[in-house]
């Protein structure tokens, strides 16, 4: 199989179908722009299965995603999209860089979701950008950005509702979108690597912050997310 790209968490392979790729989920974990590295046993398997459940749920509710099917426990077949170089972050509760940048206390419930854009550029450290920057960088048109924002907020409503029934708070998450035959498709992954999930009652962190902050029981947290959303 021809490797098209190897990222920090996944490997992309070409298939005989030029419109599709295989995405292999690794156990490798990085944080702080690659400064912290380790492997988390079982992570690839959990992230794939968790992403699959979310993608299926979103599709069932009218959102288009890149997922085609699951090939094996580490490999997902998807549409080959042209990834838009903008990471879209939606926040419901203050955490992470929002707290650092604005001095807000972690855990502050935001009255309405905050939508942020980051320019996907490793060398620059994925800087925060606004619509004017994106326009100047020519990475997406205003029309595409409006569509991306609409889809990202729809994902928020759907996922919050899905998760609260499982006693989980959706603190924040990062999405990537791609162009495919004239449409914008939700791409990449939706997993504890790319979202913050807290237990509703105890506010226990059940996501990659356990790795970033050396809280321990990382695999167990990913497993717990999978168990709760499988019900
Ligand atoms: N459907 C898709 N078609 C093509 N590329 C995709 C698709 N979904 C995700 N990707 C891209 O595949 C790569 C996934 O690998 P990974 O998550 O390991 O990347 P990363 O290390 O996080 O960093 P970066 O996104 O900066 O490359 C990303 O570059 C992502 O944008
Ligand atoms: Mg990634």
């Amino acid at each position: 199989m021809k490797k098209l790209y190897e990222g920090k968490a996944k490997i992309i392979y070409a298939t005989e179908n030029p419109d599709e790729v295989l995405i292999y989920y690794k156990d490798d974990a990085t944080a702080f722009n690659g400064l912290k590295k380790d492997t988390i046993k079982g992570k690839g398997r959990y992230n794939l299965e968790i992403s699959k459940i979310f993608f299926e749920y979103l599709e069932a509710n009218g959102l288009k995603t890149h997922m085609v099917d699951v090939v094996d426990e580490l490999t997902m077949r998807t549409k080959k999209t042209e990834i838009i170089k903008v990471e879209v972050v939606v926040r419901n509760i203050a955490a992470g860089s929002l707290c650092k940048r604005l001095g807000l206390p972690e855990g502050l419930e935001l009255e309405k979701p905050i939508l942020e854009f980051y320019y996907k550029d490793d060398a620059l450290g994925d800087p925060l950008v606004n619509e004017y920057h994106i326009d100047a960088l020519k990475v997406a048109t205003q029309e595409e950005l409006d569509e991306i924002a609409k889809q990202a907020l729809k994902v928020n409503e759907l996922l919050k509702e899905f998760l609260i029934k499982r006693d989980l708070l959706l603190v924040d998450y990062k999405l990537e979108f791609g162009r495919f035959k004239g449409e914008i498709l939700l791409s990449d992954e939706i997993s504890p690597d790319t979202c913050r999930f807290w237990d509703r009652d105890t506010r226990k962190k059940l996501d990659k912050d356990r790795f970033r902050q050396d809280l321990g029981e990382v695999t167990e947290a990913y497993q717990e997310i999978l168990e709760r959303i499988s019900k």
Side-chain angles (χ1 to χ4, degrees):
M1 254 188 316
K2 188 173 182 282
K3 194 193 275 191
L4 295 178
Y5 181 79
E6 177 154 8
K8 296 181 285 288
K10 303 190 289 301
I11 305 174
I12 312 292
Y13 294 101
T15 69
E16 301 91 87
N17 183 341
D19 288 337
E20 293 179 354
V21 290
L22 294 178
I23 304 187
Y24 175 88
Y25 283 66
K26 301 194 280 185
D27 282 349
D28 298 353
T30 64
F32 313 116
N33 286 319
L35 285 176
K36 185 180 167 89
K37 283 192 195 130
D38 209 342
T39 59
I40 300 170
K41 211 171 159 3
K43 178 176 83 84
R45 191 161 58 82
Y46 292 125
N47 279 355
L48 180 144
E49 191 60 24
I50 291 164
S51 293
K52 172 182 175 255
I53 291 170
F54 286 141
F55 284 142
E56 278 176 347
Y57 166 73
L58 293 171
E59 290 269 3
N61 285 280
L63 230 123
K64 294 196 169 156
T65 80
H66 69 160
M67 186 168 72
V68 176
D69 58 15
V70 166
V71 176
D72 62 43
E73 62 177 18
L74 296 176
T75 315
M76 184 183 285
R77 190 195 325 268
T78 72
K79 304 272 172 47
K80 181 184 185 181
T81 66
E82 184 198 337
I83 294 291
I84 295 171
K85 297 225 153 297
V86 176
E87 296 193 341
V88 186
V89 171
V90 178
R91 302 175 177 276
N92 296 304
I93 297 175
S97 68
L98 183 74
C99 298
K100 258 194 221 133
R101 256 181 341 99
L102 302 185
L104 294 172
E106 183 182 77
L108 178 76
E109 306 215 10
L110 303 165
E111 271 175 36
K112 56 177 198 179
I114 292 179
L115 180 75
E116 297 174 340
F117 299 120
Y118 293 84
Y119 177 38
K120 250 174 89 65
D121 185 308
D122 275 343
L124 295 175
D126 298 342
L128 178 70
V129 289
N130 65 27
E131 302 193 10
Y132 292 87
H133 299 122
I134 292 169
D135 187 47
L137 289 163
K138 303 251 180 289
V139 289
T141 65
Q142 188 61 50
E143 194 192 354
E144 286 176 327
L145 217 50
D146 291 345
E147 174 63 20
I148 288 169
K150 195 176 106 193
Q151 289 195 30
L153 293 171
K154 175 95 188 287
V155 169
N156 197 37
E157 290 318 306
L158 291 169
L159 284 193
K160 268 196 306 190
E161 188 192 326
F162 180 88
L163 290 164
I164 201 66
K165 289 183 187 149
R166 283 127 181 121
D167 294 323
L168 290 168
L169 296 173
L170 179 61
V171 175
D172 55 36
Y173 57 93
K174 182 271 295 181
L175 301 177
E176 293 184 24
F177 293 88
R179 303 179 182 99
F180 184 79
K181 297 186 190 288
E183 286 190 307
I184 303 275
L185 300 184
L186 179 57
S187 300
D188 207 48
E189 65 182 294
I190 307 179
S191 73
D193 271 13
T194 60
C195 305
R196 287 192 173 90
F197 302 114
W198 292 354
D199 178 77
R200 185 183 65 173
D201 301 320
T202 64
R203 295 206 157 197
K204 182 179 179 188
K205 295 180 165 106
L206 295 168
D207 54 59
K208 195 171 147 186
D209 269 351
R210 302 203 70 81
F211 167 71
R212 291 190 192 95
Q213 301 172 6
D214 294 315
L215 299 174
E217 297 179 332
V218 185
T219 303
E220 290 80 357
Y222 283 57
Q223 184 181 358
E224 174 146 7
I225 292 296
L226 176 58
E227 277 168 13
R228 288 207 204 179
I229 69 171
S230 297
K231 283 182 201 137

